[in-house]
Amino acid sequence: MARTLGSNFEAELAAGEVQPFFAVLMEFDGGDMRVWNGYGDITIDGETYVGSADFLNLGEITETSEVQAAGVSVALTGLDSSLVATALDEAYQGRPLKIFFGFLDNTGTIIDTPYTIFSGRMDVMTIEDAGATANINVTAESRLIDLDRSRARRFTSEDQKIEYPDDKGLEMVASLQDTVIIWG
């Protein structure tokens, strides 16, 4: 699949010395969590990402030329234990998670538009609470994982009423099963 990169981004990829960064966006009902693996704050698409330095760890991000679902893990370590209650109460499964890759110049300014290297949905969250600090690990799956899920739907009145409760179009299907129809 072809990738569209800005000319400044391509120049940085070819440079001898680079300052890469990763940024993570996790969308929650209570508010989005935006972090990046540096110090201070940066702005991507008008949104502020908080520096998490060594506290943000990303798992391996893979991509193949085949149509295949890949996952990723995002770990936040050394967090304040008060965030554990928030993490436990938040509905996170199926919520969007994006990981961006970009470059900084010598002044700490973002060069060109960061590239989205992963876009998927949060799946499993594990929490390790060590008293004063906590570690939260979130795994996310690519949306391609939906291709592996079976779609067990039937042509029955009950199945039709899942989406359309007042529909009566399939009420007679069961009685037609043993009906003998004389044609002509």
Side-chain angles (χ1 to χ4, degrees), residues 96-176:
L97 182 141
K98 287 185 180 180
I99 300 175
F100 301 96
F101 172 66
F103 295 103
L104 300 174
D105 64 13
N106 292 333
T107 64
T109 304
I110 296 175
I111 298 173
D112 218 336
T113 303
Y115 177 70
T116 304
I117 59 172
F118 181 84
S119 180
R121 295 186 211 144
M122 289 183 260
D123 187 26
V124 177
M125 183 183 299
T126 56
I127 300 170
E128 298 172 12
D129 192 356
T133 62
N135 300 331
I136 297 176
N137 188 34
V138 178
T139 59
E141 292 292 336
S142 167
R143 295 186 66 176
L144 287 175
I145 198 75
D146 286 342
L147 295 175
D148 291 338
R149 292 191 176 112
S150 64
R151 305 287 190 244
R153 298 297 304 260
R154 307 285 186 256
F155 288 107
T156 63
S157 182
E158 293 79 15
D159 192 76
Q160 181 72 1
K161 288 184 180 185
I162 291 171
E163 291 186 37
Y164 307 100
D166 297 329
D167 193 344
K168 298 181 183 215
L170 296 176
E171 282 186 348
M172 306 308 270
V173 170
S175 65
L176 290 174

Side-chain angles (χ1 to χ4, degrees), residues 22-28 30-38 40-52 56 74 76 98 100:
F22 292 96
V24 178
L25 166 63
M26 291 183 264
E27 296 181 21
F28 295 103
D32 297 347
M33 179 179 223
R34 295 179 190 86
V35 293
W36 75 289
N37 66 333
D41 295 344
I42 62 171
T43 303
I44 300 173
D45 293 333
E47 302 290 343
T48 301
Y49 286 72
V50 178
S52 60
L56 174 65
V74 176
L76 297 167
K98 287 185 180 180
F100 301 96

